[in-house]
Amino acid sequence: MELVSPAGSVEKLEYAWRFGADSAYIGLKKFSLRVKAENFHEKEYERVAELKKLFPNRKLFCALNIAFHQNDLEILRSNLDYFKLYPIDSFIVQDLGVVRLLQKEFPSAHLHLSTQASCMNAEAVKMYSDLGFSRVVLGRETSLDEIKKIKDAVPEMELECFAHGAMCVAYSGRCLMSAYLTGRSAQAGFCSHSCRWNFDLKIDEKSAKTLAQSGALVLEENQRRGEFFPVFEGENFTALLSSKDLRMAEHLKEMQAAGIDAIKIEGRMKSVYYVSVVTRAYRKALDVLSGKITQENAEPFVRVLDEVAQRESTTGFYFSRANADKTTVGASGSPYLFAAKVFLPISPDETKSIFEKGEQVLKERQEKLDSMHPSAREAFERDEKLHPEKKVRPAIFHANWKIYPIEAFNKIDEGTSLEFISPDVPFAQIPSDRYEFINPKTGLRLDWVNADHDCALYTDIEIPESALLRIKDPDFDGIAKENAR
């Protein structure tokens, strides 16, 4: 089975491919159902083209899956030349109004039917085949038994199904709740995720919280007695009609047996870390199916799925509707924070230059101190004692250590235990006594790093290409992890 991963930005596209995706789907501004994702615009096509050359066997899908108003079609037509700058292999669409236009303007690109079209039977699949579609992303409400019947009836059609990620209470995403409450239509890519909002219970606040936190409060629709939807209030959130997340990593064999050609991961709005870890887990699980690795080899990578932000999981409609109909409580959470991207180590000559910079800064500091009046020098040194972070600390050379430039995404204090992950390393520790942070522009050691710092990791631990750093989240309370399975 083909593995299709989300890419909400060029950066996520690169890591999706590096961590094992066969294909990745992107969105272009205004025409994707994830308009809040970073999406692709301006000159990013140049970097995408470079990545396509770097990963020649990977495929690029473009999601044009909004429901088009007349004005949207005109905007699409005016942007066709820009779209042609991207090396797009397939378009994912739900609106039949764009089919002829895409077939004419992109004759070599395939058409994939979006899950938004809620295609769930063989006759519909045949119709889309007649229209020129080569793949159908089935509606999420389709069971494995139904999928098998569809594949038997239309064997020439490629079938793609979601295997992992967040689900909407409307399942295939055809939800009107956001439009009703905010005027922001989910069908135009503006979903406000209203089903996960922080709703207030309009009774006495103390009584409301006590009741909501007890788990005894449920919704029951008048004509559907016996169907209960839990309402639960936690710290800073209230869950209402919140769907569980989908997880099929342990059931890929059954998906393959049903005739599914491609499995899809949801998450263009998720982090680079999320896309990388989830893509890698499904890559390893698929490699077990194809006999490339053993189940024992894959298990550590699949287990790390428990350590990315998620809600309680389900197998959706694949085995039983009852599994999909159960809502959940709680916000998504992870015991880890994505800390930084790690790049290839710098050369020995560059390393030497960095240490020379540090020595020069120390020399200039000493010259400044020597030129000071004694009382001024005393005040300067007293201030340094009160504020140790101001003290100049040149990096010290260690044999067999390497300097890895990093791009930090969260604050990391020196002495924090680090872990790295890579396409072929589930996770590995970097103990606090085996690394230092360095500013490569000054050659000085850093007490901490953050997103706006020039920084590098100096360590004797070999870090593979494409690695990501993570750190423990001190605020994680464990609830999400307990509910993850």
Side-chain angles (χ1 to χ4, degrees):
M1 287 188 293
E2 179 182 333
L3 177 58
V4 185
S5 291
S9 66
V10 174
E11 181 181 50
K12 294 171 190 175
L13 175 64
E14 177 180 353
Y15 278 83
W17 280 342
R18 285 191 181 278
F19 277 70
D22 298 303
S23 309
Y25 60 102
I26 67 173
L28 295 177
K29 291 292 185 183
K30 301 179 182 178
F31 304 107
S32 163
L33 282 179
R34 291 293 180 269
V35 294
K36 284 188 178 180
E38 294 158 81
N39 283 327
F40 291 72
H41 58 283
E42 297 175 354
K43 291 191 176 183
E44 288 179 339
Y45 61 85
E46 296 175 351
R47 177 59 179 150
V48 174
E50 290 174 4
L51 288 172
K52 202 71 159 55
K53 292 178 182 177
L54 187 62
F55 300 96
N57 297 320
R58 306 295 201 270
K59 290 182 286 187
L60 181 70
F61 301 160
C62 177
L64 295 180
N65 53 349
I66 66 167
F68 283 78
H69 285 271
Q70 190 62 38
N71 185 56
D72 295 325
L73 279 174
E74 298 306 318
I75 295 173
L76 174 62
R77 289 191 179 96
S78 68
N79 281 275
L80 288 175
D81 288 341
Y82 174 68
F83 278 37
K84 291 176 182 178
L85 297 173
Y86 285 83
I88 296 168
D89 296 293
S90 303
F91 287 99
I92 306 169
V93 301
Q94 67 153 316
D95 194 325
L96 296 181
V98 301
V99 170
R100 289 179 180 173
L101 178 64
L102 294 177
Q103 288 172 329
K104 177 184 176 182
E105 299 292 338
F106 303 87
S108 61
H110 294 282
L111 286 180
H112 294 180
L113 184 72
S114 170
T115 190
Q116 292 290 119
S118 296
C119 181
M120 297 178 290
N121 66 76
E123 293 306 314
V125 171
K126 291 176 184 177
M127 185 197 73
Y128 287 114
S129 178
D130 292 342
L131 291 173
F133 285 82
S134 63
R135 178 178 297 186
V136 168
V137 185
L138 292 171
R140 297 193 188 213
E141 300 88 338
T142 320
S143 70
L144 289 180
D145 287 341
E146 290 174 314
I147 293 169
K148 188 176 188 312
K149 291 176 182 177
I150 292 171
K151 188 64 176 179
D152 288 343
V154 200
E156 69 276 12
M157 177 64 81
E158 293 180 355
L159 301 181
E160 179 176 304
C161 296
F162 278 92
H164 195 93
M167 291 203 301
C168 171
V169 71
Y171 299 115
S172 283
R174 300 179 68 82
C175 180
L176 301 177
M177 186 174 184
S178 175
Y180 174 73
L181 291 175
T182 68
R184 292 168 47 186
S185 172
Q187 305 311 303
F190 289 95
C191 181
S192 58
H193 303 283
S194 309
C195 59
R196 307 193 201 281
W197 279 4
N198 184 23
F199 291 90
D200 289 328
L201 295 173
K202 304 309 292 185
I203 58 175
D204 171 72
E205 183 176 354
K206 184 177 180 180
S207 300
K209 285 187 177 293
T210 300
L211 178 59
Q213 291 172 353
S214 72
L217 190 62
V218 297
L219 293 180
E220 182 185 34
E221 204 276 324
N222 287 343
Q223 302 302 314
R224 292 165 179 80
R225 297 300 182 188
E227 291 187 26
F228 302 114
F229 297 92
V231 178
F232 181 82
E233 182 161 331
E235 187 64 33
N236 299 320
F237 74 89
T238 301
L240 180 71
L241 299 175
S242 183
S243 297
K244 293 182 180 181
D245 286 357
L246 180 65
R247 173 169 169 159
M248 289 292 287
E250 293 79 12
H251 303 285
L252 298 187
K253 187 174 182 179
E254 293 96 320
M255 296 185 80
Q256 185 180 58
I260 294 171
D261 298 286
I263 59 169
K264 189 171 192 172
I265 297 167
E266 179 277 335
R268 274 186 291 139
M269 293 176 67
K270 298 292 180 66
S271 69
V272 168
Y273 173 70
Y274 178 94
V275 170
S276 300
V277 169
V278 177
T279 296
R280 184 185 65 172
Y282 280 83
R283 174 77 274 148
K284 299 301 182 183
L286 287 173
D287 287 347
V288 173
L289 279 184
S290 62
K292 293 180 181 178
I293 62 175
T294 66
Q295 183 67 47
E296 184 180 10
N297 294 144
E299 196 277 332
F301 296 93
V302 175
R303 189 171 64 243
V304 176
L305 284 176
D306 293 335
E307 297 168 355
V308 295
Q310 61 189 309
R311 295 177 179 83
E312 186 179 5
S313 64
T314 177
T315 55
F317 284 87
Y318 288 122
F319 297 104
S320 167
R321 174 172 177 166
N323 293 331
D325 283 347
K326 292 179 181 177
T327 55
T328 189
V329 298
S332 61
S334 167
Y336 288 92
L337 294 173
F338 172 36
K341 291 167 53 180
V342 185
F343 300 95
L344 292 174
I346 64 176
S347 69
D349 287 343
E350 290 176 295
T351 299
K352 180 181 177 183
S353 174
I354 287 174
F355 286 110
E356 288 174 348
K357 290 176 185 175
E359 292 170 1
Q360 181 62 31
V361 172
L362 184 63
K363 179 182 177 182
E364 291 173 357
R365 174 188 178 278
Q366 190 59 49
E367 291 174 349
K368 179 180 178 181
L369 284 173
D370 292 341
S371 66
M372 283 183 174
H373 185 277
S375 59
R377 177 169 179 163
E378 181 181 351
F380 183 87
E381 292 175 335
R382 184 166 60 248
D383 182 64
E384 267 194 348
K385 287 182 180 180
L386 292 172
H387 303 281
E389 70 276 6
K390 294 183 179 180
K391 191 170 183 179
V392 172
R393 296 193 302 158
I396 300 172
F397 177 78
H398 299 290
N400 301 319
W401 284 40
K402 295 179 181 179
I403 296 178
Y404 296 84
I406 65 173
E407 180 182 351
F409 287 85
N410 278 294
K411 182 174 182 289
I412 319 172
D413 293 312
E414 184 181 57
T416 301
S417 288
L418 305 177
E419 290 185 7
F420 73 82
I421 67 164
S422 77
D424 293 305
V425 178
F427 61 89
Q429 292 189 339
I430 306 177
S432 58
D433 60 348
R434 294 183 63 182
Y435 79 85
E436 296 171 359
F437 289 128
I438 293 176
N439 184 326
K441 291 189 175 180
T442 64
L444 301 180
R445 284 183 61 176
L446 298 170
D447 296 316
W448 54 279
V449 298
N450 210 343
D452 58 351
H453 281 196
D454 293 308
C455 49
L457 182 70
Y458 187 38
T459 179
D460 66 331
I461 292 177
E462 196 73 23
I463 302 178
E465 186 177 4
S466 307
L468 300 173
L469 293 183
R470 68 182 191 179
I471 58 176
K472 289 276 190 177
D473 181 357
D475 298 323
F476 181 69
D477 59 12
I479 293 176
K481 187 174 181 181
E482 290 172 11
N483 287 336
R485 302 299 294 275

